[in-house]
Amino acid sequence: MSTHQLAALARTAEPRLMLRRFLALDAVVTGTNAFAYLVLSGPLGRWFGAGSGLLLVLGAFLAVYAGCVGLLAARPRPPALAVRAVVEANLAWAAVSFVALALWLTPTTAGAVWTVLQALVVAGFALLQYGALRQGQGSSE
């Protein structure tokens, strides 16, 4: 993704702010998912064809992860190593989602569509965060 495209998405050309915005968006979306999984595990479990226990565990994990990503986004200079860990975790989440769908989940149609969509969104966050991180490392800060 080009510098111009990243800047347009982040609404800033300043690499550090761009990175912080992409991390914050990740934290908000992940936190929203966590909340939904924790509060609505029964209805969502039935709709997705997943056990409510699985959604509760995923919700708890995502809540902690969202909090960590949010804390990272709040830092004036997010450490590159921590950002890389978020990027790699997001890519791993996306990959595991596809593997789980292929090998052991038996979701409803809505659950299969949701699994694919959330994996693509998470992979998209990873790409945006990685691009912004590279922009920041390439600029003279």
Side-chain angles (χ1 to χ4, degrees):
M1 187 169 280
S2 75
T3 301
H4 179 70
Q5 290 169 321
L6 283 173
L9 284 171
R11 298 183 173 256
T12 181
E14 201 279 303
R16 194 175 321 128
L17 183 56
M18 186 185 309
L19 176 58
R20 292 177 64 210
R21 285 183 178 173
F22 291 145
L23 288 167
L25 181 60
D26 186 354
V28 168
V29 171
T30 302
T32 301
N33 256 3
F35 181 77
Y37 289 174
L38 290 169
V39 174
L40 301 170
S41 63
L44 286 177
R46 287 187 295 280
W47 194 44
F48 292 153
S52 61
L54 173 63
L55 291 183
L56 285 171
V57 169
L58 290 175
F61 171 78
L62 291 174
V64 171
Y65 183 75
C68 292
V69 174
L71 288 173
L72 189 59
R75 296 188 63 172
R77 292 178 181 257
L81 187 60
V83 173
R84 281 191 188 101
V86 168
V87 168
E88 290 173 9
N90 283 342
L91 291 174
W93 178 275
V96 168
S97 295
F98 286 116
V99 169
L101 190 57
L103 297 181
W104 67 81
L105 293 178
T106 54
T108 61
T109 300
V113 169
W114 177 254
T115 301
V116 170
L117 288 177
Q118 64 82 31
L120 293 174
V121 168
V122 171
F125 283 144
L127 295 174
L128 291 171
Q129 292 157 352
Y130 180 73
L133 179 64
R134 288 195 55 201
Q135 289 292 0
Q137 291 174 336
S139 70
S140 55
E141 295 184 38

